[in-house]
């Protein structure tokens, strides 16, 4: 731990502590942290603007894979990126990517919530307007607000995907060994591959329990910031071995 730069170290510690606290408090029925700190759809009564920040420190407690892979990626790439950007700029970048991911997720929800509503209702096919009218007349076993509040996303993935994007832009030709491929892949192609996969999954609706567009949002905001810093000379140039 002593070799990990301070911001990356504290981000790792905070995320793990929040994950453990969520488990402990839920078992004691004390408080559901995901309800208060997870990012809800803005139309729901459980939404709070602060969730655009807090959601990125929450992770799925039904297993360890969600937090493990996010924290492993944060440790692997974040510690290198922090040394390149400097701690203050790195923290600003990380938080901005997380905020960008949350904002894009809210935008996607805004344009797709009616389709989600239709797909969540069993029985004869009906339009979103018909279902909404039935809910308002009390013919459904749930309210529109409870449906809005069921749309929640958590995790540091948006910020982490921003870190992956920055790594690929700053060290584009660094060889990466990715299981199960027996050969190295340049960082820039790895990043492009991740982005393409997320876009395909997001549009096709595959793995719908994963916030693919939030991942893309983190990469998009990261791309804008890294491009701006490179053009203004804030983070090196070709002469320093960067992209």
């Amino acid at each position: 731990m002593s070799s990990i730069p301070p911001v990356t170290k504290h981000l790792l510690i905070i995320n793990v502590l929040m994950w453990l606290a969520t488990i402990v408090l839920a078992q004691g029925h004390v408080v559901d942290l995901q309800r208060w700190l997870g990012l809800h759809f803005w139309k729901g009564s459980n939404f709070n603007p602060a969730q655009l920040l807090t959601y990125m420190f929450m992770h799925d407690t039904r297993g360890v894979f969600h937090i493990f892979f996010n924290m492993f990626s944060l440790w692997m790439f974040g510690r290198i990126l922090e040394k390149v950007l400097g701690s203050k700029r790195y923290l600003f970048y990380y938080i901005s990517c997380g905020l960008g991911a949350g904002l894009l997720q809210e935008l996607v929800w805004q344009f797709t919530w009616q389709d989600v509503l239709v797909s969540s209702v069993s029985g004869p096919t009906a339009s979103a307007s018909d279902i909404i009218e039935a809910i308002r007349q009390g013919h459904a076993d749930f309210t529109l607000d409870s449906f809005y509040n069921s749309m929640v996303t958590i995790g540091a993935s948006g910020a982490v995907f921003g870190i992956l994007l920055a790594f690929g832009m700053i060290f584009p030709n660094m060889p990466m060994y990715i299981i199960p491929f027996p050969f190295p892949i340049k960082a820039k192609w790895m990043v492009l591959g991740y982005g393409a996969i997320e876009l395909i999954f997001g549009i096709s609706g595959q793995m719908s329990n994963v916030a693919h567009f939030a991942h893309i949002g983190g990469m998009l905001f990261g791309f804008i910031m890294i491009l701006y810093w490179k053009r203004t000379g804030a983070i090196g140039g070709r002469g320093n071995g960067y992209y």
Side-chain angles (χ1 to χ4, degrees):
M1 290 291 288
S2 61
S3 64
I4 303 176
V7 173
T8 301
K9 180 191 298 183
H10 287 100
L11 287 174
L12 289 168
I13 293 173
I14 292 171
N15 274 280
V16 172
L17 287 178
M18 290 300 297
W19 183 71
L20 293 173
T22 303
I23 295 175
V24 172
L25 293 177
Q27 289 180 343
H29 301 287
V30 178
V31 63
D32 182 359
L33 288 182
Q34 291 188 359
R35 175 186 176 186
W36 296 104
L37 303 182
L39 179 61
H40 290 70
F41 183 30
W42 70 271
K43 286 179 176 287
S45 59
N46 286 345
F47 172 75
N48 186 311
Q51 293 169 357
L52 286 166
L53 176 65
T54 60
Y55 88 98
M56 66 184 83
F57 297 100
M58 305 295 295
H59 286 85
D60 189 358
T61 57
R62 293 171 296 180
V64 300
F65 291 105
H66 188 209
I67 188 169
F68 172 77
F69 285 111
N70 274 346
M71 295 303 99
F72 180 74
S73 298
L74 176 60
W75 168 78
M76 176 175 287
F77 300 104
R79 60 197 175 99
I80 299 174
L81 196 61
E82 183 175 351
K83 293 177 182 178
V84 174
L85 298 180
S87 294
K88 290 183 179 180
R89 192 187 302 274
Y90 169 74
L91 178 60
F92 175 82
Y93 179 84
Y94 181 91
I95 296 298
S96 296
C97 287
L99 291 173
L103 289 172
L104 186 59
Q105 184 61 49
E106 289 286 348
L107 185 63
V108 170
W109 278 337
Q110 176 62 33
F111 285 102
T112 63
W113 72 266
Q114 292 185 349
D115 294 332
V116 176
L117 176 62
V118 171
S119 64
S120 66
V121 175
S122 59
T125 303
S127 66
S129 58
D130 291 336
I131 297 174
I132 293 173
E133 184 60 29
I135 293 173
R136 288 173 176 168
Q137 293 181 7
H139 299 321
D141 57 358
F142 64 94
T143 65
L144 199 56
D145 186 60
S146 66
F147 166 74
Y148 290 149
N149 286 329
S150 69
M151 302 172 73
V152 186
T153 190
I154 56 174
S157 299
V160 169
F161 267 77
I163 287 179
L164 292 176
L165 185 282
F167 189 88
M169 290 183 70
I170 296 174
F171 304 102
N173 296 315
M174 179 175 288
M176 308 294 296
Y177 289 87
I178 304 174
I179 297 173
F181 301 110
F183 50 84
I185 300 175
K186 290 184 178 180
K188 58 185 176 183
W189 302 127
M190 179 198 70
V191 170
L192 286 174
Y194 267 122
I197 291 172
E198 290 301 315
L199 184 60
I200 292 171
F201 281 170
I203 294 176
S204 66
Q206 298 183 49
M207 296 178 67
S208 57
N209 61 320
V210 178
H212 300 290
F213 284 106
H215 300 171
I216 295 173
M219 298 181 81
L220 177 61
F221 272 63
F223 176 79
I224 294 172
M225 283 185 287
I226 294 297
L227 191 63
Y228 173 77
W229 287 336
K230 291 173 87 55
R231 289 186 173 180
T232 57
I235 55 167
R238 294 182 184 275
N240 295 323
Y242 301 142
Y243 175 44

